Amino acid sequence: MAATSALSIFLLLVVLAMSTKGSSATGSSWCVCKSELPAAALQRTLDYACGHGGDCAPLLPGGQCHTDTDTVATRCSYAANSYYHNAKAKGNGHGGATCDFGGTATLTSTDPSSGTCRYPATTAPASSPAGAPWELWMFLLAIIAIFVSLCCCVEMHEQRRNTCRH
């Protein structure tokens, strides 16, 4: 009975440990414009991204990303990232979006957010070595932990019944 209880506690701890895995930013990426390029090229990327699905409202006056010090490069990065994130979420482009915009943008693993301007991140799905999502593994481990716990309870109940009869 002690072994069953120990196994049950171990499985519950594994499930708890795995449930914290999804809160990590590992695998996050952002699409940013190349600030060394001419302003005209970055402006074309900004215009395209805002006109084709990027959420550029935060760049407007009063928006969380509008400041007196923002540049065409920072506005371009926010717009390109928003477009990329939205297109990737929708699955546009036969297999997802790319972060290129004619060579004016690139992917980075460094979060470009600053102050109140938060850039949405595209996160690679966390998978197990076998390729199944972590959520599936957590669900299966939770089912096993519940099953083991129930078996432990039934075993304890049976032992009590047998003790009372003697």
Side-chain angles (χ1 to χ4, degrees), residues 99-116:
C99 174
D100 184 63
F101 296 94
T104 60
T106 187
L107 283 176
T108 182
S109 59
T110 304
D111 186 354
S113 300
S114 67
T116 60

Side-chain angles (χ1 to χ4, degrees), residues 39-87:
L42 299 180
Q43 185 65 50
R44 282 191 298 274
T45 298
L46 169 64
D47 293 342
Y48 179 85
C50 289
H52 291 89
D55 176 15
C56 295
L59 299 173
L60 299 173
Q64 67 208 37
C65 295
H66 185 275
T67 66
D68 294 333
T69 59
D70 62 354
T71 64
V72 69
T74 58
R75 290 189 305 273
C76 178
S77 289
Y78 187 89
N81 185 67
S82 177
Y83 172 87
Y84 173 73
H85 177 72
N86 290 341

Side-chain angles (χ1 to χ4, degrees), residues 158-166:
E158 287 296 320
Q159 284 182 349
R160 280 194 200 136
R161 275 184 54 201
N162 289 339
T163 304
C164 292
R165 288 183 183 166
H166 296 291

